[in-house]
């Protein structure tokens, strides 16, 4: 869930954050990332780059590499690093090598597997239940990644074989949760791809805090066992291309074909296209650089005039995120606009959602159905909040193609917990609304921890998210050179 499920004190923002979030010196440039982490090459810390999932699959299909050797190397990395990271609950060494041999045999028999020989982690002990399409595509599950254990009311942490899961960038900080081990394993380069599930931000928040890419599918787009409908499957990876490969396998969609199928989407090179932008005001460079405020119509726009319209919101109209986090995320949004992937605009009526916390918590309660005689006044009020926010988001997406926010409103907290704050303030609104959303690396805060930029799109627009994220990776990344590895 990614939230601390406890009442908030009056006047406190609904966010999960780390204590001691650092000075106000501003965001570090991407090139400074490695200086903020532990020394490259040490177990459980970011280090040199390793092959992506698509690179592995291409090499295995061409028989340049054997899946057995790829999986054996992944198991060796896990053996070396996991005593520090504690990213895995279980490691399935012998079974993984046997499955890798089967993949090699399938390739030798002429099967063209899109993810041939790619070692993956699956979230939790029951992660294999939802990994069927990935395994059929040639992935090899090497183990179950850590999730929150018993003993705390918050969910932004993980408990693995060797104890608490640590953030690869700073071992005194949590990786986030509840897909804690998946994010840590991917960020540390143990596996290129790991599954997650996102009921309130449980893919996007650990992706942001570990400096990787995390996709939450639109609710209902993929099978999910959740009575409330809040939970959606997701994935964590070090590069957008690997998330594209995941999405094409699990959804059956060809991302680039989908991205260009609608008038106004990105073009095939990921750089062109338009959103209607009707009823919107172009955001000027001067105002956009500050991340807030109104803008006069005479100022020049940030982004190509034919790029999809995107709205920036630092707080969704109700939260109070840390200024350092907002600055890093907004700077990434401006760079994305300057790269031509989006056109930053300001709605004539600023987006102001109601705090979704009461609605989310009520929908998780047994009496959440307002038609039930057991429905409480708070549950009915929660459904009113949900309906109001749905209406406001529908209005926004009728004019713009994308909504951009910080992923988490704070830096990752320490292992003693988040205190009276929620990490989910800027994410769980989209579990309630069902919109697809993803987190991409935006840069680093003054404390050396990664910061994420959240991209949200209209229902059914996962392909647009991935296309825009691909441009971001090309212009404000590449993230794989700084976010991995052992």
């Amino acid at each position: 869930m990614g939230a601390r499920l406890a009442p908030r004190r009056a006047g406190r923002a609904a966010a999960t954050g780390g204590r001691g979030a650092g000075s106000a010196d501003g965001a570090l440039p991407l090139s400074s990332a490695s200086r903020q982490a532990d020394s490259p090459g040490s177990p459980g810390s970011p280090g040199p780059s390793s092959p992506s999932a698509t690179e592995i699959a291409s090499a295995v299909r061409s028989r340049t590499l054997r899946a057995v050797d790829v999986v054996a190397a992944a198991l060796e990395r896990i053996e070396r690093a996991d005593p520090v990271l504690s990213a895995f609950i279980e490691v399935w060494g012998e079974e993984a090598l046997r499955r890798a041999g089967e993949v090699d045999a399938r390739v030798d028999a002429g099967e063209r597997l899109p993810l041939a020989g790619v070692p993956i982690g699956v979230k939790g002990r029951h992660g294999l239940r939802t990994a069927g399409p990935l395994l059929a595509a040639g992935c090899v599950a090497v183990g179950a990644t850590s999730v929150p254990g018993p003993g705390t009311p918050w969910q932004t942490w993980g408990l693995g074989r060797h104890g608490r899961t640590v953030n690869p960038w700073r071992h005194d900080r949590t990786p986030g949760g509840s897909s804690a081990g998946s994010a840590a394993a991917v960020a540390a380069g143990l596996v290129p791809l790991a599954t997650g599930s996102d009921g309130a931000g449980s893919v996007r928040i650990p992706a942001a805090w570990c400096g990787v890419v995390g996709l939450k599918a639109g609710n209902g787009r993929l099978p999910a066992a959740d009575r409330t409908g809040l939970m959606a499957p997701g994935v964590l990876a070090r590069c957008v291309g690997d998330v594209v490969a995941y999405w094409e396998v699990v959804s059956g969609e060809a991302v680039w074909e989908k991205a260009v199928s609608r008038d106004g989407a990105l073009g095939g090179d990921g750089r062109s296209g338009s959103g209607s932008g009707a009823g919107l005001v172009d955001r000027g460079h001067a105002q956009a650089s500050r991340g807030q405020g109104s803008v006069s119509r005479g100022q020049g726009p940030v982004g190509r005039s034919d790029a999809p319209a995107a709205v920036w919101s630092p707080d969704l109209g109700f939260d109070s995120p840390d200024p350092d986090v907002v600055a890093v995320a907004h700077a990434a949004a401006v760079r994305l606009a300057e790269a031509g992937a989006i056109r930053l605009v300001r709605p004539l009526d600023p987006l102001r959602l109601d705090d979704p916390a009461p609605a989310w918590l009520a929908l998780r309660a047994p009496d959440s159905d307002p038609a039930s005689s057991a429905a409480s006044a708070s549950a009915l009020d929660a459904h009113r909040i949900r309906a109001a926010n749905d209406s406001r988001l529908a209005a926004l997406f009728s004019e713009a193609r994308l909504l951009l926010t910080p992923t988490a409103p704070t830096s990752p907290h320490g292992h003693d917990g988040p205190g009276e704050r929620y990490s989910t303030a800027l994410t769980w609104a989209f579990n309630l609304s069902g919109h697809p959303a993803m987190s991409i690396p935006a840069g680093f805060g003054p404390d050396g921890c990664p910061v994420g930029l959240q991209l949200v799109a209209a229902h059914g627009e996962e392909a647009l998210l991935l296309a825009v994220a691909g441009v971001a990776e090309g212009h404000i990344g590449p993230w794989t050179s700084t976010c991995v590895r052992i």
Side-chain angles (χ1 to χ4, degrees):
M1 293 180 297
R4 183 183 184 275
L5 301 183
R8 292 166 296 161
R9 295 175 182 170
R12 294 300 300 268
T16 295
R19 299 185 175 114
S23 68
D25 296 335
L28 295 170
L30 290 174
S31 60
S32 300
S34 61
R35 295 196 296 272
Q36 301 301 316
D38 293 341
S39 58
S42 61
S45 302
S49 183
S50 56
S52 68
T54 54
E55 290 170 339
I56 290 170
S58 177
V60 171
R61 286 195 303 269
S62 68
R63 304 184 192 180
T64 304
L65 289 176
R66 304 292 287 178
V68 168
D69 296 328
V70 173
V71 169
L75 292 170
E76 189 278 331
R77 290 193 299 272
I78 294 168
E79 180 67 21
R80 182 157 54 96
D82 204 45
V84 175
L85 278 179
S86 200
F88 285 86
I89 303 170
E90 298 174 356
V91 176
W92 307 318
E94 292 185 6
E95 176 67 9
L97 291 171
R98 186 181 69 79
R99 294 288 187 183
E102 293 175 355
V103 169
D104 284 329
R106 292 170 66 188
V107 170
D108 291 342
E111 284 193 63
R112 187 167 179 81
L113 303 173
L115 290 172
V118 175
I120 63 169
V122 296
K123 180 180 178 179
R125 288 190 170 89
H126 304 300
L128 285 174
R129 295 177 181 176
T130 58
L134 296 175
L135 303 181
C139 289
V140 177
V142 296
T145 58
S146 67
V147 295
T152 73
W154 64 85
Q155 297 294 297
T156 44
W157 69 294
L159 182 64
R161 297 180 299 165
H162 302 286
R164 66 191 183 192
T165 307
V166 303
N167 191 310
W169 293 98
R170 280 190 55 165
H171 293 178
D172 63 335
R173 302 289 181 91
T174 176
S178 60
S179 303
S182 288
V186 167
L190 307 187
V191 291
L193 202 69
T195 64
S197 57
D198 191 313
S202 292
V203 165
R204 290 162 287 162
I205 293 163
W209 286 355
C210 289
V212 298
V213 183
L215 172 70
K216 177 195 85 73
N219 295 42
R221 294 275 276 159
L222 299 174
D226 178 22
R227 67 174 181 83
T228 66
L230 297 173
M231 184 76 71
V235 70
L236 299 104
R238 296 195 302 275
C239 61
V240 176
D242 288 353
V243 180
V244 170
Y246 161 87
W247 181 248
E248 291 186 338
V249 164
V250 299
S251 72
E253 289 183 356
V255 165
W256 286 112
E257 291 179 11
K258 180 72 180 292
V260 301
S261 64
R262 170 180 166 180
D263 182 31
L266 292 178
D269 63 354
R271 295 293 306 278
S272 63
S274 65
S276 68
L280 299 168
V281 179
D282 284 324
R283 195 186 277 276
H285 281 275
Q287 289 283 356
S289 67
R290 292 195 290 272
Q292 59 185 356
S294 61
V295 58
S296 69
R297 292 181 184 271
Q299 292 172 315
V302 176
R304 295 161 50 126
S305 61
D306 59 350
V311 171
W312 161 259
S313 175
D315 55 12
L316 296 179
F318 66 86
D319 193 48
S320 300
D322 289 354
D324 289 336
V325 169
V326 172
V328 175
H330 185 260
V334 172
R335 294 200 304 273
L336 186 52
E338 291 172 343
I342 60 171
R343 179 168 51 93
L344 280 175
V345 295
R346 179 173 58 86
L348 294 177
D349 296 317
L351 178 65
R352 296 191 182 279
L353 299 183
D354 291 337
D355 186 345
W360 191 95
L361 294 170
L363 286 167
R364 283 292 190 189
D367 61 349
S368 61
D369 183 359
S372 168
S373 59
S376 64
S378 61
L380 292 171
D381 187 56
H383 282 273
R384 178 195 59 77
I385 292 171
R386 188 179 195 183
N389 283 352
D390 284 351
S391 176
R392 292 164 190 162
L393 289 169
L396 182 143
F397 285 117
S398 72
E399 298 179 335
R401 301 289 305 283
L402 293 162
L403 172 62
L404 277 57
T405 78
T407 304
T410 66
S411 295
H413 58 76
H415 295 289
D416 54 351
E420 297 296 325
R421 306 192 74 187
Y422 284 88
S423 66
T424 52
L426 302 176
T427 52
W428 55 3
F430 309 110
N431 296 89
L432 286 161
S433 68
H435 290 91
M438 68 186 300
S439 180
I440 62 175
F444 291 79
D447 59 356
C449 292
V451 173
L453 174 66
Q454 179 175 223
L455 314 178
V456 186
H459 296 294
E461 289 272 31
E462 287 87 353
L464 175 64
L465 289 179
L466 293 168
V468 170
V471 179
E473 187 171 46
H475 288 271
I476 65 175
W479 303 312
T480 52
S481 65
T482 57
C483 293
V484 256
R485 279 72 49 191
I486 296 178

